Amino acid sequence: MFEQHLAVLPVLLPLIAAPLVVLINKPRAAWLLSTLFVGACVYISFGLVSATMDGGALRYALGGWEPPWGIEMRVDSANAFVLLTVSVIATLVLLFAKESIASEVAHKQLPLFYSAYLLCLAGLSGILITGDAFNLFVFLEISSLATYTLVSLAADRRCLTAAFRYLVMGTIGATFILIGVGMLYMKTGTLNMLDLAERIQAVESHRTINTGLAFIMVGVSIKLALFPLHMWLPAAYSFAPSAVTAFLAGTATKVAIYVMLRFVFTIFGAGYVFEQMNMEIIVLVLALAGIFQCSFVATTQSNIKTLLAYSSVAQVGYIILGVSLVSLTGLTASLLHIFNHALMKAALFMAVGAVFYRMGSVQIIAFQGLGRRMPWTMSAFTIAGLSIIGVPLTVGFISKWYLVTAALEQGNWLVAFLVLVASLFAVVYIGKVIEAAYFKEPSEDADATKIKEVPVSMLIPMWLLVLANIYFGIDTSLTVSAATAGAEALLNGSSLVGGVQ
Amino acid sequence: MTVLIDLILLAMLVITAFRIIYIKDLFSVVMLFGIYSFLCAALFVTLDAVDVAFTEASVGAGISTVLMLSTIAITGRKEKLSLHSHTFATLIVLLTGGALIYGTFDMPLFGLADNPVHEHVAPRYIETSPTEIGLPNMVTSVLASYRGFDTFGETVVVFAAAIGVFSLLGVRGKPTELLAQEQGLTQHKVLRVVAKISIPLIILFALYVQFHGDFGPGGGFQAGVIAAAAFILYALTFSLRKAVGVVSPRFVKYLAPVGVLLYASVGLVSMLNGANFLDYNVLAADPVDGQHYGIIIIELGVGITVFSVMLGIFYAFAGQVEKANVQ
């Protein structure tokens, strides 16, 4: 019975847990229940990854109605891989959140916080595994609403403005996606993704479909924070509670990138989007512009959360860059970096969260001299930071390696060169923090004797991520094969549409 | 004839939209929003989408208006003059509008029988839903059964909104002193009498919409909103204190997740019976009966959640108005 429902459980479990948590209304029990359910999602995601590794897909007809009349969940190696990333990060952040969130969110609100967290996860999982374009929008709404709530729960009141801006931008993005899906429906009479892919061919060059593509691309670009539509992200990441930032940085933009991949490769088809509409030029230029502009802005920040937020926008640029190359290696690099970047950014934001837990500040001045007082936290920050830079033996290196290879494959020396140059910015902004932590004396007003390492329950998830950064930087067989399988699934999707298979 | 009606309605819609942009008095803006929603609802009726019209009228014109009014009770009635230049924003809006118009050029003509939306998925709903599901209202068959997972998702969206509002504004505990003195609109005798007569009727109508949704327009979403409207009307005319005495905010907070769980439990029972999530066929010996049971229960779940969330959000907003009055 369990096997039969494998493809729907990642979204059902958190969806059922979220209302339960509100009914229980006890912070500790709420946390425990959430962790159990989310942990179960990790187990299921592993099952899904191994079940789809051979290139097959699991389909699940909800209500027993066969698609396109009913809604189906459809898991292939592409979304299984992203789903695994999301559920692993969600679990580790929950472990971290127990202490971290308790210190940042009012005690009374904790059950509601965990409920919103579960709703957010359920929404993200739903977006990932659904095979229906409108159902995707419904889950997008769930995850977005929950995200705005999560961002707005920090003690710093500035989070309200950040959440409001995020809400306005996010709603515009979601509306654009809905308008686009509506146009597709009008021309094809279906909402099922595979069915859409098949029927869209007959009407491919129609102006309504072109407009639908434009609206969906712009809407998704807002959601994934593609330069220059990223302005909501730095504020939201800076003012959200630490654990929320760690969670969002590892999951939310990644899922939006998946949505773009799904629409481009499975529904519209790469041939239409890239050859006919020449989207790859626009996307490539925006990705590179984002990498450089946001990396540069990151070097000028003194608030470390803002610094890392700008770095995140730049990293989104790398992922999109891989997509714009439209090749197996490029897509593999993108999927790899979705996973790898989740590992490093979640670890970095956890480390910053740990500093906030002790210092009550994330300004660079608070980091001074922390190398000695919070050795575990700062060494975690350092290793994850090296990973962002792309130093060998970390996952960051693997991502960059595949990205540069993909660029060179097409003889695109300029792109390969620019990717490497952009890494120098990361050296500057990560180096700045490391310098403060290890080579500067603590600032005078900080009461030095009171500063000590954070509780073990915060260090364990942080270090699990750091170790994963190193492990998957050395043994790449698992991640690369999963990412390659995912890239193949996406490309096959479009060749299936093109009638090659 | 319908073309004429459509044209008039659309023209009024455009005029209302322009008024909303230019008027600086927020109270008038809220009223115009209500009118805008009513015009939309009327348009939906001419499109034969009565279920959608129903929802638009009750949510857009009803509850949203009340919530926006409670917001301007806190923030003030006048729009602040913006010092920013709007040129770039106007350009973006014009570009978006232009793109939308460009998109209409290859759209299938309005109302033709051989449009893709009528030819691919829809025929199956029309031809086999009477025997597969057996409901006269096909919209309910599609929403509650064929695409029941979307409806489950939408119920969760409503719940997620409540989580957001409750965590930001708080759920009111015991009534404060100020609230205890509140008398409601005692001077307005006519209002009180009209409210007294209409509230039971509204509740009765909500129940009718809830359980008659299988046969005519309606269902859990509309019923939940209408029922909540009755309680909000009670709170507005007879004081919040009395309304809170009837249905307390804490109760509402715990009721919201119950509706979602009720919906989910139908799916879980299907799973226990060996079928897929939300497959109602296995709920009874006869699949068509199973569909009926399933749809009635999930609609009830939707109604419970929508009712409690709407009322809960109103309570939360009213709590803020009260707080603002104290200060």
Side-chain angles (χ1 to χ4, degrees):
Chain A
M1 182 194 144
F2 178 72
E3 289 284 309
Q4 182 199 342
H5 302 295
L6 206 58
V8 76
L9 287 176
V11 52
L12 271 194
L13 289 179
L15 266 188
I16 291 170
L20 280 179
V21 159
V22 177
L23 285 180
I24 292 172
N25 204 24
K26 296 266 189 302
R28 284 182 68 91
W31 174 81
L32 192 69
L33 188 86
S34 313
T35 313
L36 283 178
F37 272 72
V38 179
C41 289
V42 176
Y43 177 72
I44 294 160
S45 316
F46 266 112
L48 286 172
V49 168
S50 61
T52 53
M53 206 61 151
D54 56 355
L58 291 183
R59 306 178 75 159
Y60 185 89
L62 281 144
W65 301 114
E66 69 273 35
W69 294 279
I71 294 166
E72 68 165 343
M73 299 286 118
R74 189 174 175 282
V75 186
D76 63 14
S77 42
N79 48 9
F81 184 58
V82 186
L83 181 71
L84 179 68
T85 315
V86 168
S87 47
V88 166
I89 298 291
T91 312
L92 291 176
V93 170
L94 257 183
L95 294 177
F96 178 83
K98 187 167 179 284
E99 294 290 331
S100 166
I101 282 301
S103 75
E104 289 180 47
V105 174
H107 187 74
K108 227 171 49 183
Q109 287 170 325
L110 283 175
L112 291 173
F113 171 86
Y114 288 118
S115 183
Y117 189 91
L118 288 164
L119 286 173
C120 185
L121 175 67
L124 295 175
S125 310
I127 294 171
L128 288 174
I129 61 179
T130 187
D132 187 279
F134 182 75
N135 196 233
L136 184 145
F137 171 76
V138 172
F139 282 111
L140 189 71
E141 275 189 286
I142 297 178
S143 71
S144 306
L145 274 178
T147 312
Y148 311 142
T149 308
L150 289 174
V151 171
S152 69
L153 285 177
D156 187 340
R157 293 284 87 183
R158 279 176 294 178
C159 70
L160 293 176
T161 329
F164 183 69
R165 281 182 71 179
Y166 187 9
L167 182 145
V168 172
M169 288 305 284
T171 308
I172 293 174
T175 310
F176 272 37
I177 295 172
L178 184 64
I179 291 173
V181 170
M183 288 182 159
L184 299 191
Y185 177 68
M186 194 180 279
K187 292 298 282 186
T188 60
T190 185
L191 290 165
N192 181 276
M193 289 181 185
L194 289 185
D195 200 29
L196 262 175
E198 213 177 290
R199 295 177 60 87
I200 225 168
Q201 300 199 315
V203 287
E204 206 163 59
S205 49
H206 287 200
R207 281 168 287 192
T208 309
I209 297 291
N210 292 349
T211 315
L213 172 71
F215 271 91
I216 289 171
M217 287 298 266
V218 173
V220 176
S221 297
I222 294 176
K223 284 282 178 189
L224 64 80
L226 181 66
F227 179 86
L229 301 172
H230 66 284
M231 289 317 292
W232 56 268
L233 187 142
Y237 280 20
S238 305
F239 298 117
S242 310
V244 172
T245 310
F247 176 55
L248 294 181
T251 57
T253 46
K254 310 294 181 294
V255 171
I257 292 169
Y258 162 82
V259 174
M260 182 187 259
L261 294 177
R262 193 49 98 192
F263 269 104
V264 167
F265 288 97
T266 304
I267 297 180
F268 286 105
Y272 166 65
V273 177
F274 294 124
E275 279 157 35
Q276 225 170 305
M277 304 295 289
N278 287 324
M279 279 270 185
E280 82 270 27
I281 311 287
I282 307 171
V283 174
L284 179 86
V285 170
L286 290 181
L288 281 172
I291 292 174
F292 275 90
Q293 203 263 349
C294 292
S295 296
F296 173 73
V297 175
T299 61
T300 65
Q301 298 300 315
S302 62
N303 179 320
I304 304 306
K305 263 171 122 180
T306 318
L307 182 152
L308 291 176
Y310 275 106
S311 153
S312 275
V313 182
Q315 302 291 324
V316 164
Y318 286 111
I319 300 173
I320 297 299
L321 188 65
V323 178
S324 74
L325 297 171
V326 205
S327 66
L328 184 63
T329 326
L331 263 186
T332 308
S334 291
L335 285 174
L336 257 183
H337 200 47
I338 285 179
F339 179 77
N340 291 346
H341 179 243
L343 291 185
M344 37 188 147
K345 249 327 147 31
L348 283 170
F349 275 118
M350 278 186 194
V352 175
V355 171
F356 185 76
Y357 184 79
R358 283 294 180 221
M359 305 291 296
S361 162
V362 289
Q363 293 295 322
I364 187 136
I365 203 155
F367 283 72
Q368 291 186 5
L370 280 189
R372 242 168 295 157
R373 306 196 192 281
M374 297 173 70
W376 288 99
T377 302
M378 283 325 294
S379 47
F381 186 95
T382 309
I383 297 173
L386 292 177
S387 195
I388 285 272
I389 297 169
V391 173
L393 300 183
T394 63
V395 286
F397 176 73
I398 307 298
S399 301
K400 295 245 165 87
W401 176 264
Y402 274 86
L403 195 56
V404 170
T405 314
L408 291 181
E409 228 174 48
Q410 301 181 344
N412 207 333
W413 290 88
L414 183 68
V415 168
F417 175 72
L418 289 175
V419 166
L420 295 177
V421 170
S423 303
L424 295 178
F425 284 106
V427 177
V428 177
Y429 62 70
I430 294 293
K432 202 163 92 167
V433 183
I434 294 176
E435 187 204 359
Y438 287 99
F439 301 107
K440 285 199 178 152
E441 288 305 309
S443 59
E444 288 180 7
D445 50 323
D447 195 349
T449 49
K450 276 188 189 160
I451 305 306
K452 53 176 194 240
E453 195 49 85
V454 289
V456 187
S457 72
M458 289 168 82
L459 285 176
I460 289 176
M462 193 194 309
W463 269 90
L464 281 175
L465 284 170
V466 169
L467 293 176
N469 264 293
I470 300 170
Y471 178 79
F472 291 115
I474 297 168
D475 178 14
T476 59
S477 55
L478 194 70
T479 46
V480 170
S481 57
T484 314
E488 272 165 1
L490 285 171
L491 286 172
N492 281 344
S494 58
S495 65
L496 187 83
V497 171
V500 176
Q501 276 198 333
Chain B
M1 186 63 195
T2 34
V3 177
L4 193 66
I5 295 175
D6 278 345
L7 283 178
I8 294 171
L9 286 176
L10 284 169
M12 285 163 75
L13 208 60
V14 172
I15 294 168
T16 317
F18 271 101
R19 291 308 293 161
I20 290 174
I21 296 173
Y22 286 110
I23 284 187
K24 299 286 174 215
D25 178 18
L26 293 178
F27 184 80
S28 317
V29 169
V30 171
M31 290 301 137
L32 284 170
F33 267 129
I35 294 171
Y36 189 89
S37 286
F38 262 126
L39 289 170
C40 282
L43 268 173
F44 293 143
V45 172
T46 65
L47 291 169
D48 280 339
V50 267
D51 284 82
V52 188
F54 211 154
T55 319
E56 180 64 44
S58 48
V59 178
I63 299 270
S64 306
T65 312
V66 174
L67 293 184
M68 283 191 274
L69 283 179
S70 11
T71 309
I72 57 171
I74 310 169
T75 57
R77 273 182 70 154
K78 278 272 170 251
E79 184 182 338
K80 280 193 190 120
L81 278 178
S82 163
L83 297 172
H84 297 286
S85 152
H86 295 300
T87 335
F88 186 64
T90 314
L91 227 79
I92 297 278
V93 171
L94 286 178
L95 192 73
T96 312
L100 280 172
I101 293 171
Y102 176 78
T104 58
F105 288 144
D106 281 329
M107 270 185 193
L109 284 179
F110 178 69
L112 287 189
D114 59 350
N115 281 349
V117 283
H118 300 310
E119 288 206 308
H120 184 49
V121 176
R124 150 93 190 252
Y125 294 148
I126 297 166
E127 281 154 23
T128 57
S129 84
T131 48
E132 273 178 343
I133 296 174
L135 294 184
N137 184 4
M138 260 165 234
V139 177
T140 302
S141 301
V142 175
L143 289 185
S145 190
Y146 292 110
R147 297 190 67 87
F149 197 55
D150 272 346
T151 308
F152 181 45
E154 290 295 355
T155 313
V156 176
V157 170
V158 174
F159 175 65
I163 297 291
V165 173
F166 291 164
S167 60
L168 273 176
L169 302 183
V171 180
R172 178 205 299 272
K174 283 178 191 142
T176 55
E177 262 179 47
L178 187 91
L179 188 64
Q181 296 161 5
E182 193 201 354
Q183 290 302 321
L185 306 167
T186 16
Q187 301 93 336
H188 299 267
K189 286 253 158 44
V190 178
L191 212 56
R192 290 169 74 100
V193 171
V194 171
K196 241 179 207 168
I197 298 169
S198 51
I199 286 172
L201 292 177
I202 296 175
I203 293 177
L204 200 63
F205 183 58
L207 288 172
Y208 168 79
V209 170
Q210 170 78 48
F211 292 106
H212 204 258
D214 306 358
F215 301 96
F221 278 102
Q222 295 93 331
V225 171
I226 293 168
F231 283 87
I232 292 172
L233 180 64
Y234 185 67
L236 289 176
T237 39
F238 294 96
S239 88
L240 196 58
R241 176 175 54 95
K242 283 192 175 159
V244 168
V246 180
V247 184
S248 80
R250 287 183 77 81
F251 176 73
V252 163
K253 180 192 162 190
Y254 288 118
L255 196 61
V258 169
V260 177
L261 286 174
L262 188 63
Y263 201 135
S265 67
V266 175
L268 294 179
V269 171
S270 318
M271 283 166 121
L272 288 177
N273 284 326
N276 282 358
F277 188 71
L278 293 179
D279 186 341
Y280 311 138
N281 282 345
V282 294
L283 296 179
D286 180 5
V288 176
D289 284 350
Q291 290 287 341
H292 284 217
Y293 294 144
I295 290 173
I296 284 185
I297 300 171
I298 64 121
E299 287 280 8
L300 192 61
V302 173
I304 290 174
T305 295
V306 171
F307 165 74
S308 43
V309 169
M310 293 303 154
L311 195 55
I313 292 179
F314 171 75
Y315 279 155
F317 274 48
Q320 292 297 308
V321 177
E322 188 195 322
K323 227 188 253 172
N325 287 341
V326 172
Q327 282 160 4

